[in-house]
């Protein structure tokens, strides 16, 4: 996960501070993490755990007798460690991609460079001129009336209209070391719709500007040896679905973490006394 300006982590997930002085704004990814089930994560975690155990079975068997607790703890942490490494790589790729789009120098990172090469191939294939076609990168999008905010990876003009007319795209980068370049998740549509229908963007000096009118939205999947731009139907219907998830998130964030158990009243007469 990247670290946008004005964003901060809380016990209830990520929120954005409003430079205009309004109440905190829940982040789009926080809403999706809280209210949208990630069904694919459970089988993924099970698969990683099973593969680790099978690959290390002799060593695990030897250690179980004397280090049972430590071994169990390690096995339980396998999927979290893999997820954290993937998230760290994704953050570095996002940062390098932003630098590339801004024409700034990129730190040498052998893990990251294959993904940036794919970004460059994509830019070349679409004939992108960085000075003319990049509308914004890593820009904070705000919907104060609904109380949420998020960061758009890229707004870019692409020749996808009638007669190859330029249209403004809202694009989110997704990275993976294992998933095919054309694969997406349904919640990607909700994320893009939430950003697309924000009312305001924050400029570098923290002043407001109207949200640009987005023609199309999609996910740009960057892989080490491939890439694909996948259009997503981030329309008003998807935004209504996101708003439902937003209400669920608000309720869950406001709900108590525990409730008082109901105990029998001390004054309640016994059956024998009542008769």
């Amino acid at each position: 996960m990247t670290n946008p300006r004005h964003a901060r982590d809380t016990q209830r997930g990520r929120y954005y501070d409003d430079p205009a002085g309004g109440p905190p704004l829940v982040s789009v990814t926080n809403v999706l993490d809280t209210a949208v089930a990630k069904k694919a994560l459970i089988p993924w975690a099970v698969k990683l755990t099973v593969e680790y155990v099978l690959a290390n079975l002799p060593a695990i068997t030897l250690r179980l007798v004397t280090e049972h607790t430590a071994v169990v703890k390690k096995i339980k942490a396998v999927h979290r460690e893999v997820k954290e490494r993937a998230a760290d790589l994704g953050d570095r790729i996002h940062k390098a991609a932003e630098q590339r789009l801004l024409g700034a120098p990129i730190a040498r990172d052998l893990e990251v460079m294959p993904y940036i090469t794919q970004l460059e191939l994509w830019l070349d294939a679409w004939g992108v001129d960085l000075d003319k076609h990049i509308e914004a990168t890593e820009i904070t999008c705000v919907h104060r009336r609904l109380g949420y905010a998020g960061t758009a990876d890229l707004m870019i003009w692409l020749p996808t209209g009638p007669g190859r007319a330029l249209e403004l795209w809202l694009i989110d980068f997704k990275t993976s070391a294992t998933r095919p370049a054309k694969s997406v998740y349904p919640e990607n549509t909700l994320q893009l719709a939430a950003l697309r229908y924000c009312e305001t963007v924050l400029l570098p000096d923290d002043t407001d500007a109207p949200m640009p009118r987005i023609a199309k939205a999609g996910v740009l999947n960057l892989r080490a040896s491939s890439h694909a731009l996948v259009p997503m139907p981030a329309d008003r219907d998807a935004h209504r679905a996101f708003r439902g998830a937003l209400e669920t998130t608000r309720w869950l964030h406001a709900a108590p973490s525990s409730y008082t158990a109901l105990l029998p009243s001390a004054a309640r007469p016994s059956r024998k006394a009542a008769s």
Side-chain angles (χ1 to χ4, degrees):
M1 182 181 291
T2 55
N3 298 294
R5 291 179 65 224
H6 306 301
R8 58 183 174 87
D9 293 327
T10 74
Q11 292 183 341
R12 299 173 299 158
R14 174 171 288 180
Y15 275 74
Y16 282 76
D17 292 321
D18 187 350
L25 305 162
V26 63
S27 81
V28 171
T29 53
N30 189 353
V31 171
L32 299 180
D33 288 342
T34 302
V36 178
K38 307 294 193 301
K39 295 180 179 180
L41 289 181
I42 295 176
W44 170 81
V46 171
K47 177 176 179 291
L48 282 178
T49 303
V50 170
E51 289 176 346
Y52 172 81
V53 171
L54 293 178
N56 297 276
L57 191 56
I60 290 173
T61 304
L62 289 173
R63 292 180 59 200
L64 273 175
V65 176
T66 58
E67 303 176 71
H68 183 276
T69 301
V71 170
V72 171
K73 184 178 180 180
K74 171 61 180 177
I75 293 172
K76 291 169 66 176
V78 166
H79 72 281
R80 291 196 301 272
E81 293 172 355
V82 173
K83 185 178 180 182
E84 288 170 1
R85 288 197 298 271
D88 176 70
L89 176 59
D91 286 350
R92 284 148 51 205
I93 294 170
H94 271 75
K95 181 63 177 177
E98 180 187 13
Q99 297 300 102
R100 174 65 181 87
L101 293 168
L102 294 174
I106 300 174
R108 182 172 175 79
D109 187 327
L110 295 180
E111 275 192 292
V112 167
M113 290 315 298
Y115 296 85
I116 300 305
T117 297
Q118 292 301 315
L119 173 62
E120 291 172 343
L121 290 173
W122 180 76
L123 294 170
D124 290 343
W126 284 93
V128 171
D129 183 318
L130 298 183
D131 294 326
K132 295 180 180 179
H133 299 147
I134 303 296
E135 184 74 15
T137 63
E138 294 293 324
I139 188 167
T140 300
C141 306
V142 176
H143 203 309
R144 291 190 177 96
R145 284 192 305 112
L146 295 180
Y148 74 85
T151 299
D153 288 339
L154 177 63
M155 295 181 189
I156 185 171
W157 294 92
L158 296 177
T160 54
R164 294 185 58 79
L166 292 174
E167 294 181 309
L168 187 58
W169 279 72
L170 172 65
I171 289 178
D172 191 69
F173 300 139
K174 298 296 183 188
T175 61
S176 173
T178 57
R179 288 175 59 80
K182 293 183 179 180
S183 63
V184 293
Y185 292 111
E187 57 264 28
N188 298 152
T189 296
L190 300 182
Q191 179 183 6
L192 287 164
L195 296 173
R196 178 179 187 175
Y197 294 110
C198 281
E199 297 177 325
T200 304
V201 295
L202 298 182
L203 299 178
D205 63 357
D206 289 341
T207 58
D208 289 0
M211 178 72 185
R213 185 176 181 84
I214 302 296
K216 293 178 180 176
V219 169
L220 178 56
N221 282 322
L222 296 175
R223 306 296 187 254
S225 58
S226 62
H227 66 267
L229 174 60
V230 184
M232 305 293 287
D235 53 17
R236 287 290 184 183
D237 286 342
H239 191 237
R240 279 191 289 272
F242 172 80
R243 291 172 68 170
L246 177 62
E247 288 303 311
T248 300
T249 298
R250 284 205 185 94
W251 188 91
L252 290 170
H253 284 182
S257 58
S258 63
Y259 296 85
T260 303
L262 180 64
L263 301 175
S265 172
R268 179 182 177 186
S270 66
R271 290 184 179 180
K272 184 176 181 179
S275 63

